[in-house]
């Protein structure tokens, strides 16, 4: 059984995640960049998360360390991707996000649209030609960071079993170092000179592929 050591969230729990995500990522550098005004961010981030989770729902696994949900990871599974359906859902999300204009105003909404690209997974195409897992979001309540660590380890182990690599992008340098300690390799750094908020693109190679690299070097 896939991810047999983890708890898979049910539909109701998934639908209740936006408020928790809004709180967990309120001070995250990326969301501070998307919504520079803290008061506006407080209003908008939960709505944004609700729309983003709707987009991901058909393509993602949502896993926790247990039913207590002290740590949660949302993982995109590229095997579930259907181009036409995904782009239709993406257009629907963009339409619903227009509701943010009331809170953001025109100028900040244009800023948000410009920065929206920072959430793109397109960079993975430069490195992957087969199915992969992509860490969309991972968070833990206070005092439960070890559980979050275990979730990522379980994902890497599942990738080994399924012959799939695991990709992630983070705009936080400390998080990038955290992923590297877990076995991820930094593949690219997207430099943003304007904001100073660089994005670190990392991939954890499954063991079979790592061995093939060693053989090629040898």
């Amino acid at each position: 059984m896939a991810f047999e050591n983890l708890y898979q969230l049910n539909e109701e729990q998934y639908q209740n995640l936006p408020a928790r995500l809004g709180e967990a990522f309120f001070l995250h550098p990326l969301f501070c960049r998307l919504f520079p005004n803290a008061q506006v961010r407080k209003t908008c981030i939960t709505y944004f998360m609700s729309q983003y989770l709707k987009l991901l729902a058909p393509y993602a696994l949502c896993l926790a360390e247990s039913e207590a949900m002290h740590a949660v990871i949302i993982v995109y599974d590229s095997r579930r991707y259907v181009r036409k359906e995904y782009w239709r859902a993406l257009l629907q999300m963009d339409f619903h996000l227009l509701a943010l204009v009331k809170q953001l105003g025109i100028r900040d909404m244009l800023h948000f649209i410009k920065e929206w690209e920072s959430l793109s997974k397109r960079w993975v195409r430069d490195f992957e030609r087969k199915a992969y897992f992509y860490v969309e979001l991972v968070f833990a309540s206070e005092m439960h960071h070890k559980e979050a660590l275990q979730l990522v380890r379980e994902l890497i182990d599942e990738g080994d079993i399924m012959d799939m690599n695991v990709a992630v992008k983070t705009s936080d340098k400390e998080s990038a170092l955290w992923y590297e300690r877990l076995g991820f390799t930094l593949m690219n750094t997207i430099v943003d000179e304007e904001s100073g908020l660089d994005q670190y693109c990392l991939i954890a190679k499954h063991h079979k592929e790592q061995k093939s690299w060693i053989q090629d070097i040898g």
Side-chain angles (χ1 to χ4, degrees), residues 3-35:
F3 298 105
E4 59 183 5
N5 296 321
L6 300 180
Y7 173 79
Q8 186 157 344
L9 275 63
N10 59 40
E11 185 175 349
E12 181 180 358
Q13 290 169 324
Y14 188 79
Q15 291 176 351
N16 289 333
L17 272 181
R20 288 190 64 186
L21 289 171
E23 182 179 345
F25 287 91
F26 183 75
L27 295 177
H28 190 280
L30 176 59
F31 290 95
C32 289
R33 176 180 171 180
L34 287 172
F35 305 109

Side-chain angles (χ1 to χ4, degrees), residues 139 146 202:
F139 71 99
K146 287 184 178 179
L202 305 101

Side-chain angles (χ1 to χ4, degrees), residues 127-142:
F127 303 99
E128 292 297 327
R129 296 293 181 269
K130 59 182 181 180
Y132 61 90
F133 291 124
Y134 189 92
V135 180
E136 293 281 355
L137 296 165
V138 58
F139 71 99
S141 55
E142 192 174 358

Side-chain angles (χ1 to χ4, degrees), residues 182-193:
L182 284 172
F184 285 77
T185 300
L186 181 65
M187 309 300 290
N188 187 29
T189 301
I190 302 172
V191 177
D192 189 328
E193 295 181 356

